[in-house]
Amino acid sequence: MTEGNGHAIDPAGEARRALQAAVAAHGTQALSNAVIVDEICRDRLGGLPGEAILIGSAARSDVPALLRERIGREGTYGAIQSVAATLAQAHALDLAASLWVVREFARALGFVASGGTQPTASEMGSWSGAGSGAGGLTDQGDAMAPGGAAPPGGSAGGGPGGGGPPGGGPVAGLTPGRPPGRWAPSRNVLGIAAAIALVAVYLGVAAAAHVSPFPAKTVASSTSQGQGQSSVGNPSPVGSPDPAPDPDPDPDPDPTPPSPFDTLLNMIPSSVQGTSNNCSNNGTAFGATAVADCTGLQGLAATAIIYYLFSDTGALSNGFSAFLTKSDFPASAQSCTTNSQFSAFITNCRDTYTSTSPATSGFVAEYVDKDNDPVIVSTDSRQLVMAVLIGTNDANLLAYWQPLQWINS
């Protein structure tokens, strides 16, 4: 899948392998846990921020639970498309991007077989009726992982009602879309038949054009296709239907890049966002490209945190200064550190900080607002984010800020 500017989504399969690694390390329940998914994305997808945002959004919407709920009644690809629409609406994402990430979740969960970035031939097939017994095919033509359910009315293996040979097991070479009981030729037979058909077509054209090996008088002797001659690409026996392949049930339309607000949400810890989405889009301010207002926080030292996303380091620095000016912060302020350590909350202080875990640096200021609540304003130069932490106890607020729990590393 590529964007309109030619940029390929997950071109090397790194995002797919990241999802598989999460399942391998923590089980399929990991894909419903935003904390685990965010950590995997930070470790493995540092160069793919767009894919990381889509994967994080899917985890927060519990895409695995939505797929399990809908596959039974909508089929695999019907459920993928339905869940993608739900995800796109919930997070203001492009539908094409949502289709990509939901399909990758379905693949990691084992609902569709592992394969290349594009849909496989088996994913494009279709089941043509009860009793076909196509083993690994669902009613939407998905290639399922071993142990997948058979289509309605059929059976996962052979035997009575299964369409395969007695003894059970999937039948190799069964062509999706053919009537029950009809078998497709092997690849070798298909190749031979196609070669014969090509030769036959050439001979027919040669006869019509009066070229070797046909003189003009042999034109009438060419065999018509209606007299039993197979056409190119139709190696089926005479009288056997040869249906055209179904269109791709899961096309790869060009996705729209995530919005600045979605990018900002991906940097906010799940403990701040909460299960009921505590963070709302608050437009732009102080030169930021997006603002997230996170309120009603439970179990944290901060009762509210406001996040600002900037386009570059210059805009981040200017935004920090503009915010302090708007907050009536004194022009001359003391240092926030004692012996280079943030050991205590100091009212009206301003300084810089450096962290090794996570590796980042920025500005920090501490003051008390008009409601007498302690406030810490700080920036993360690596991700171009400014955060305003508001609490009720200055010591607790500083203790929460110090390990940088307010931002995803």
Side-chain angles (χ1 to χ4, degrees), residues 183-197 234-237:
W183 304 88
S186 69
R187 290 183 180 270
N188 291 336
V189 174
L190 287 174
I192 294 171
I196 293 172
N234 182 17
S236 305

Side-chain angles (χ1 to χ4, degrees), residues 1 9 19 56 72 100 114 116 123 125 141 170 177 209-210 219 284 286 297-298 317 392-393 403:
M1 181 189 297
I9 294 182
L19 292 174
W100 172 81
S114 179
E123 288 176 323
H210 304 162
V219 170
T284 58
F286 304 111
L297 309 185
Q298 302 294 324
S317 177
T392 57
N393 181 284

Side-chain angles (χ1 to χ4, degrees), residues 15-341:
R16 175 174 298 174
R17 289 191 292 273
L19 292 174
Q20 293 169 346
V23 171
H26 306 284
T28 56
Q29 65 271 18
L31 301 187
S32 299
N33 189 318
V35 174
I36 293 177
V37 168
D38 286 344
E39 182 179 353
I40 291 288
C41 288
R42 287 196 300 272
D43 292 343
R44 301 177 65 107
L45 303 181
L48 298 172
E51 287 84 343
I53 288 171
L54 292 170
I55 290 172
S57 298
R60 290 179 176 85
S61 290
D62 201 354
V63 161
L66 294 175
L67 285 171
R68 294 186 185 98
E69 174 189 351
R70 301 183 189 184
I71 280 178
R73 64 174 184 269
E74 298 177 16
T76 303
Y77 277 102
I80 289 174
Q81 292 167 349
S82 171
V83 173
T86 299
L87 178 66
Q89 183 177 12
H91 293 272
L93 298 174
D94 180 73
L95 179 58
S98 298
L99 279 170
W100 172 81
V101 73
V102 173
R103 187 180 66 210
E104 290 306 320
F105 266 60
R107 196 184 306 277
L109 292 165
F111 295 148
V112 295
S114 179
T117 301
Q118 300 298 330
T120 64
S122 60
E123 288 176 323
M124 294 172 62
S126 63
W127 175 63
S128 64
S132 68
L137 297 178
T138 70
D139 60 341
Q140 296 297 323
D142 302 316
M144 295 181 61
S155 65
V171 182
L174 182 61
T175 302
R178 290 189 180 276
R182 192 171 298 279
W183 304 88
S186 69
R187 290 183 180 270
N188 291 336
V189 174
L190 287 174
I192 294 171
I196 293 172
L198 286 171
V199 172
V201 170
Y202 168 76
L203 293 178
V205 172
H210 304 162
V211 298
S212 179
F214 295 97
K217 66 181 179 179
T218 63
V219 170
S221 66
S222 61
T223 304
S224 68
Q225 185 172 344
Q227 294 174 321
Q229 179 67 46
S230 297
S231 62
V232 176
N234 182 17
S236 305
V238 176
S240 173
D242 187 19
D246 290 341
D248 185 352
D250 186 19
D252 291 334
D254 295 334
T256 300
S259 68
F261 181 71
D262 286 327
T263 301
L264 180 57
L265 282 180
N266 196 53
M267 301 174 186
I268 300 175
S270 57
S271 59
V272 175
Q273 295 193 48
T275 58
S276 58
N277 195 11
N278 296 326
C279 303
S280 60
N281 190 336
N282 203 17
T284 58
F286 304 111
T289 60
V291 179
D293 193 351
C294 305
T295 58
L297 309 185
Q298 302 294 324
L300 302 178
T303 58
I305 305 178
I306 307 172
Y307 292 89
Y308 300 81
L309 176 65
F310 294 88
S311 58
D312 53 54
T313 54
L316 176 64
S317 177
N318 292 336
F320 178 75
S321 297
F323 179 87
L324 292 181
T325 300
K326 181 69 177 295
S327 302
D328 296 326
F329 191 84
S332 59
Q334 59 182 315
S335 172
C336 293
T337 63
T338 302
N339 296 326
S340 300
Q341 298 294 322

Side-chain angles (χ1 to χ4, degrees), residues 313 316 351-364 378-386 401 404 406-407:
T313 54
L316 176 64
D351 216 326
T352 61
Y353 76 93
T354 300
S355 170
T356 57
S357 181
T360 189
S361 61
F363 304 107
V364 62
S378 56
T379 64
D380 174 8
S381 59
R382 184 172 63 92
Q383 300 187 91
L384 303 176
V385 172
M386 177 174 74
W401 178 90
L404 306 189
W406 45 274
I407 191 76

